Amino acid sequence: MKKSLIALAVLGAIAGAAQAQSSVTIYGIVDTGIVYTSKVFNASTGTTGSKFSVNSGVIQGSRLGFKGVEDLGGGLKALFQLEAGFSNDTGALQGDKGSTNLFRRKSVVGLGGNFGSVLLGRQTDILDDVSQWTSVQDFGGVTGSVGHNLDRLEGTRTNNSIRYNTPDLSGFTGSAIYGFGEAAGQTSNGQSFGLGGQYANGPLGLFAAYYQSKKGTTPSDVSLTNNAPAFAGAAGDTALKTFSLGASYQAGPARLYGNWSRVKQPLATAVTATTPLVTSGLQPNVFIIGGINNNKADIFELGVNYAVTAPLHLLASVQHSRLTFVDAGSSKGKLTQVNLGTDYFLSKRTDLYAFVSNLRAKNTFNPGVFGDSTLNDNNQTSVAVGIRHKF
């Protein structure tokens, strides 16, 4: 009897220790708002009008994720993360163009330790990480169309990739990513790579990051797949180069930030000014800013997050994009968006938000604050009121 009790106790201790060495976390975000947008183009009537909608992912994309870690001993850990994106307003999965990827947002496995971490699979690059120092942290998708979808600060995935992240080195963290095009005998076909770093020291945050991708049969850069008609050239030709530089500073209750991005698209092709964005087969929020494909864009931003009280934050930002187009008849264009908002935290996991944004276009199409183009009208205002819950 005593031997049986001892055996059970030993087995229980071993099971408890094994369970303590590994863990799996289920997490998610549900973010949905009611949105009013002025002057939205209606392809059926050929006119513009006001639009009311329920939008999922106003600040952050709604998602369901699983992540885990297993202690392998000696400071080495096995890591994995699977993250699916969905539209809370319809319940549908969000996938790439022509696809319904289950784990569209992230699908990685790898190892971590004192050396940092190495991850394999579908993932974002460091430009997604450093968005914490930009308006993406406060306004999220509200600032996507005016430029952050283009400069990748909204987070764009790289398929078939390997990514290395350094450990925290006295406030500095760096990262490098490489995406395989997976074409036999053609290493550069669909290839991509990026690198950068960020520095956090007390109230100060700094970042610099770069990403480059090439056209291919199965390009690792997902943005090239989603916007395939927008590029000329041959497999292996460079289709995208983007560089971002920025800073953030916490001055008492106010977080101030500013950044600049330059995006080049050497293979950009012209889209005629008479082609409506909604029927062109291209995605205006990503590469076709203004309706005519641009081969260079400079995106500038300034913003502030002011904490009136711990739960109540007042937000403001302005983005200005200067675009150079392939089309010789409209070589230059400008987009300027002003955003005001408030974010009230009911708890650490639930907040209510309200935003108003005005997007103005000069010598270019207006892509719309939430991707609802005005077509030929240069001015659009959008108001969003919503709730975000994290679990």
Side-chain angles (χ1 to χ4, degrees), residues 14 24 26 76 127 134 146 152 166 170 174 193 205 214 268 275 331 377 380 389:
I14 292 173
V24 176
I26 300 174
L76 187 65
L127 282 161
T134 74
V146 71
R152 303 181 77 88
T166 72
S170 300
F193 60 87
K214 299 181 179 182
T275 303
S331 60
D377 199 302
Q380 185 184 79
H389 176 73

Side-chain angles (χ1 to χ4, degrees), residues 202-205 248-257 303-307:
L204 178 65
S248 175
Y249 188 80
Q250 188 73 41
R255 181 175 69 88
L256 310 172
Y257 56 87
V304 60
N305 178 325
Y306 185 85

